[in-house]
Amino acid sequence: MAAFIVRRVLWSIPILWVVVTIVFFMMRSIGGDPFRRGPLLGLSNVAWVKYGDYQPASIKRNQRERYGLDLPWYQQYGNYLRGVVTLDFGPSLSFRNVRVSELIKELAPRSLELAGLSFLWALALGIPIAVLAALRPGSAFDMSARIFSSVGFALPNFFVATLLVYYLSVRLGVLPTSGWTAGWKHKILPSFTLGLVPMAYCVRLLRASLLETLELDYIRLARAKGLSGGRVMKHALRNSLIPLVTVSGPLLGYLVSGSFVIENIFAVPGVARFYVASVVARDYTVVLGLTVMLALLIVFANLLVDVAHRMLDPRLRDAAYARA
């Protein structure tokens, strides 16, 4: 297992290099001036002054020299790769006296908490619904579960967020409309809305996997030996979870990308709002730093998924031992 983890970590290095390289050249290909004067999108209290104010060319030239943007692209690329290796992404080009590492340290925990709570919603509700639906195929509950999984895929999260805010917050006043740091009630609607699609996918995938597993010979043998329904389901659920564990990595990628919409709707002070504002402002260092952080998160999640997959599936462990 240790050798497998080391190989996966080594394979992650070229993946991160490709991500950094693509984003580096894409940001410079879209053009724009990171030192133009004007407020950032949605962040009125942290940026430069109004559009249209006169700014001498000498000031812009000094700013470009200060941040190394006057250097050839290959020198900028080399400097940034060196910063990625040392986890020092440099200063922000738009936010006053702020380094990118400080910005990530402040914003990342909120976005990670949002993604983690959404994933817990998906597992805490998706797994029981799938198990109950598989135990009673063709029943009214099974039909309802299938309808829920289909609707959960079809409805976009911004539409679901609007409905939940209107009915639960505006009409009933049960939950607050926005915010994040004020208390646990503020975290329910954003996390549930973001976790709806993974929840629907969990129900559909696990239900189908359980129905297939319950028809296998070893499950029939367990029932013939007189094992209780709970013990039979325990054996069936272990193998049925393998497909769900396999897709956990891509689901986390969805949670990371889907949080961009949810954070803006519910005013969550996380990575997404600053990411969008930094793209508009052509703040290269912030965009690249946040991208590297998200790439590291997804790569680490895929590593955990691969390790869990090998632990759940003995065939993979046996194959590894046979090669050794």
Side-chain angles (χ1 to χ4, degrees):
M1 182 64 71
F4 169 75
I5 295 176
V6 171
R7 288 197 302 268
R8 289 290 285 109
V9 171
L10 293 178
W11 270 108
S12 302
I13 295 176
I15 294 175
L16 292 174
W17 172 75
V18 170
V19 171
V20 171
T21 302
I22 291 176
V23 176
F24 179 87
F25 287 105
M26 285 183 62
M27 282 299 299
R28 279 152 178 76
S29 66
I30 60 178
D33 184 7
F35 300 115
R36 69 185 187 278
R37 308 188 78 180
L40 297 181
L41 182 63
L43 302 169
S44 58
N45 61 337
V46 290
W48 301 85
V49 296
K50 298 182 295 182
Y51 284 109
D53 285 358
Y54 174 71
Q55 188 178 61
S58 59
I59 294 180
K60 288 187 176 182
R61 184 170 59 253
N62 291 338
Q63 289 173 335
R64 296 184 66 86
E65 292 178 357
R66 175 185 177 187
Y67 293 103
L69 296 181
D70 61 324
L71 299 174
W73 67 266
Y74 51 86
Q75 292 188 23
Q76 296 183 44
Y77 179 65
N79 292 337
Y80 190 75
L81 287 181
R82 185 162 51 251
V84 170
V85 172
T86 59
L87 296 181
D88 181 11
F89 304 105
S92 169
L93 304 182
S94 299
F95 303 100
R96 297 190 184 101
N97 302 320
V98 175
R99 297 191 68 81
V100 178
S101 56
E102 297 173 356
L103 201 63
I104 293 175
K105 185 178 180 180
E106 178 183 356
L107 302 177
R110 299 165 188 163
S111 296
L112 292 177
E113 186 181 7
L114 174 60
L117 291 176
S118 303
F119 197 67
L120 287 179
W121 275 114
L123 296 181
L125 296 181
I127 292 178
I129 292 174
V131 171
L132 293 176
L135 288 175
R136 300 176 179 86
S139 64
F141 185 85
D142 181 38
M143 182 66 67
S144 301
R146 285 187 286 173
I147 293 175
F148 165 74
S149 63
S150 300
V151 173
F153 274 118
L155 295 179
N157 52 16
F158 64 85
F159 179 72
V160 175
T162 304
L163 292 179
L164 291 178
V165 168
Y166 177 72
Y167 285 105
L168 296 181
S169 300
V170 178
R171 295 290 296 272
L172 300 178
V174 178
L175 295 171
T177 58
S178 61
W180 186 259
T181 58
W184 63 270
K185 288 186 177 181
H186 293 76
K187 303 177 182 180
I188 294 179
L189 284 183
S191 58
F192 179 81
T193 305
L194 184 58
L196 186 60
V197 170
M199 189 190 308
Y201 193 72
C202 175
V203 171
R204 175 176 294 187
L205 185 63
L206 185 56
R207 174 190 173 275
S209 180
L210 272 173
L211 289 176
E212 182 180 354
T213 304
L214 291 174
E215 297 298 325
L216 295 179
D217 292 338
Y218 79 96
I219 295 296
R220 294 182 178 180
L221 179 61
R223 287 172 173 168
K225 287 183 176 181
L227 293 182
S228 63
R231 294 190 63 183
V232 171
M233 179 55 65
K234 180 180 179 181
H235 290 292
L237 188 60
R238 178 184 176 89
N239 289 335
S240 301
L241 284 174
I242 294 176
L244 183 60
V245 170
T246 304
V247 301
S248 296
L251 284 180
L252 180 60
Y254 165 80
L255 293 176
V256 170
S257 60
S259 66
F260 280 55
V261 177
I262 298 302
E263 287 187 12
N264 279 281
I265 293 177
F266 291 99
V268 178
V271 168
R273 300 176 65 200
F274 281 80
Y275 202 117
V276 174
S278 299
V279 171
V280 174
R282 303 300 189 266
D283 195 335
Y284 304 131
T285 55
V286 174
V287 173
L288 289 170
L290 294 177
T291 302
V292 171
M293 182 207 70
L294 296 177
L296 281 171
L297 175 63
I298 294 176
V299 168
F300 180 71
N302 286 324
L303 174 62
L304 293 181
V305 166
D306 290 341
V307 172
H309 195 179
R310 293 173 72 89
M311 294 177 62
L312 286 173
D313 195 344
R315 295 170 297 183
L316 295 178
R317 296 197 304 268
D318 295 341
Y321 293 147
R323 288 196 302 270

